[in-house]
């Protein structure tokens, strides 16, 4: 009996592998994510039992419960989940593209570029009451411009008779440090109240998010994830190396460019609503790979669900463990992710980075 089966769409132009184990893992993670959303909605300054929370979500609760859950808690929970999905998907793409376990949006500077764009946006268009003089819908555009600028500069500097993944990693790490310095400079040059707001943002937090941000970002994320599934075959081929990819007729440089662009847009979506939550794009694909292997058709949804879980759990810890003080979710992802990054670095110290 075959462990995997191929799903083909559009006369075979779109295809990816799946199997019973992978489908079971995806189902279990989806149920766990739903349970996490419910428990997160229960917790806060005022605890609401799960039954009352469920009633409030479906519009049958008391007015007070519905206001607390649907107006204050649910937007930040769903945005935390979406941000994790985007960062994990971007990390899975980059690790398959670059063929390096250390690749992630924050490591190669894409997250830093998006963060720099958003901080600059707030400094230019927010007044002393933090009210924007332009529409909030321009915020993802600012994040995309910042991430794209850094991403394409890194891409061009890494291009030497084709894209060198080794050069991309090294140059990306350098630009990651540069964008951090630029973000700090923008915070210092701006007024104090904007600097303090930006400081929380670059740490990574979903505090103060609302339904308008969720409604703005959700359609983009859904479209991007569908495109990612359509690109599954290309990611799998790229993971085999450029020589093998070229040998099977894949347009290597075009595919690499489009996959890099896709990871940039996903990162920009996450940063525009949740700030620079670090290491999620690094950890989630590794966790997913241990559960379902490296086939991107299964790796993408599992990584996405795990990424959403990581930020939701970090947010729960941040707003309940030290109540009434709220700790940004990025503090906890960094506390776990930094040692994990060092572990990966140690484990791969004898492994050469191939191009």
């Amino acid at each position: 009996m075959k462990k995997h089966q191929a799903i083909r769409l559009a006369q075979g132009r779109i295809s990816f592998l799946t199997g019973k184990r992978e489908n079971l893992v995806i189902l279990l993670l989806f149920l766990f994510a739903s349970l996490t959303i419910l428990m997160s909605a229960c917790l806060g300054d005022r605890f609401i039992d799960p039954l009352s929370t469920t009633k409030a979500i479906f519009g049958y609760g008391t007015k007070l419960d519905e206001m607390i859950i649907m107006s204050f808690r649910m937007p930040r929970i769903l945005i935390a989940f979406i941000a994790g999905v985007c960062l994990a998907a971007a990390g899975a793409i980059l690790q398959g593209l670059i063929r390096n376990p250390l690749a992630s949006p924050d490591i190669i500077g894409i997250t830093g570029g998006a963060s720099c764009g958003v901080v600059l946006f707030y400094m230019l268009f927010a007044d002393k009451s933090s009210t924007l003089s332009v529409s909030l819908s321009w915020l993802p555009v600012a994040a995309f411009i910042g991430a794209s600028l850094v991403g394409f500069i890194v891409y061009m500097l890494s291009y030497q008779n084709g894209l060198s993944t080794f050069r991309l990693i090294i140059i990306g790490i350098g630009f990651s440090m540069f964008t951090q310095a630029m973000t700090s400079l923008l915070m210092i040059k701006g007024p104090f109240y904007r600097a303090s707001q930006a400081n929380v943002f670059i740490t990574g937090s979903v505090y103060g998010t609302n339904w308008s941000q969720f409604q703005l970002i959700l359609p983009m994320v859904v479209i991007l994830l569908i495109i990612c599934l359509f690109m599954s075959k290309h990611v799998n081929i790229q993971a085999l190396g450029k020589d093998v990819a070229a040998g099977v007729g894949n347009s290597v440089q075009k595919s690499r460019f489009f996959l890099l662009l896709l990871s940039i847009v996903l990162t920009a979506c996450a940063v525009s609503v949740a700030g620079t939550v670090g290491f999620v794009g690094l950890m989630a694909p590794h966790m997913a790979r241990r559960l379902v292997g490296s086939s991107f058709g299964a790796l993408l949804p599992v990584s996405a669900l795990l990424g959403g879980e990581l930020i939701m759990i970090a947010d729960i810890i941040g707003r309940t463990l030290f109540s009434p003080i709220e700790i940004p979710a990025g503090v906890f992802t960094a506390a776990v992710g930094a040692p994990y990054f060092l572990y990966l670095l140690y484990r791969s110290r004898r492994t050469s980075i191939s191009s």
Side-chain angles (χ1 to χ4, degrees), residues 227-256:
I227 294 173
C228 286
L229 279 176
F230 287 170
M231 293 295 293
S232 295
K233 179 171 64 176
H234 296 276
V235 178
N236 289 332
I237 292 173
Q238 289 289 327
L240 299 175
K242 64 180 182 181
D243 293 333
V244 175
V248 297
N250 183 265
S251 180
V252 176
Q253 299 307 325
K254 287 183 179 179
S255 295
R256 286 183 171 183

Side-chain angles (χ1 to χ4, degrees), residues 242-306:
K242 64 180 182 181
D243 293 333
V244 175
V248 297
N250 183 265
S251 180
V252 176
Q253 299 307 325
K254 287 183 179 179
S255 295
R256 286 183 171 183
F257 180 82
F258 185 78
L259 290 170
L260 181 62
L261 178 62
L262 197 55
S263 65
I264 287 172
V265 180
L266 284 165
T267 303
C269 288
V271 172
S272 67
V273 293
T276 52
V277 183
F279 295 102
V280 173
L282 176 71
M283 294 186 292
H286 280 278
M287 296 165 63
R289 208 169 281 113
R290 290 180 177 275
L291 291 173
V292 295
S294 58
S295 177
F296 194 73
L299 182 67
L300 174 67
V302 173
S303 297
L305 288 168
L306 287 170

Side-chain angles (χ1 to χ4, degrees), residues 82-195:
I82 286 179
V85 165
C86 290
L87 291 172
I93 291 172
L94 288 173
Q95 288 177 15
L97 171 64
I98 300 175
R99 302 175 64 210
N100 190 291
L102 304 180
S104 69
D106 42 337
I107 299 299
I108 67 170
I110 296 174
T111 301
S115 176
C116 194
V118 171
V119 171
L120 181 61
F121 176 85
Y122 275 121
M123 292 185 64
L124 292 176
F125 300 111
D127 57 23
K128 292 185 177 181
S129 62
S130 297
T131 302
L132 291 174
S133 59
V134 297
S135 172
L136 185 67
S137 60
W138 289 102
L139 184 60
V141 177
F144 173 73
I145 292 173
S148 298
L149 187 61
V150 172
F152 290 137
I153 291 175
V154 171
Y155 180 88
M156 294 305 296
L157 292 177
S158 306
Y159 197 92
Q160 188 176 38
N161 297 321
L163 178 64
S164 168
T165 55
F166 173 74
R167 286 168 60 86
L168 190 144
I169 283 282
I170 299 301
I171 294 171
I173 291 174
F175 266 87
S176 178
M177 300 297 104
F178 174 75
T179 55
Q180 290 180 27
M182 287 300 298
T183 303
S184 299
L185 176 63
L186 291 173
M187 291 168 57
I188 293 171
K189 296 293 289 183
F192 175 76
Y193 71 91
R194 290 178 184 166

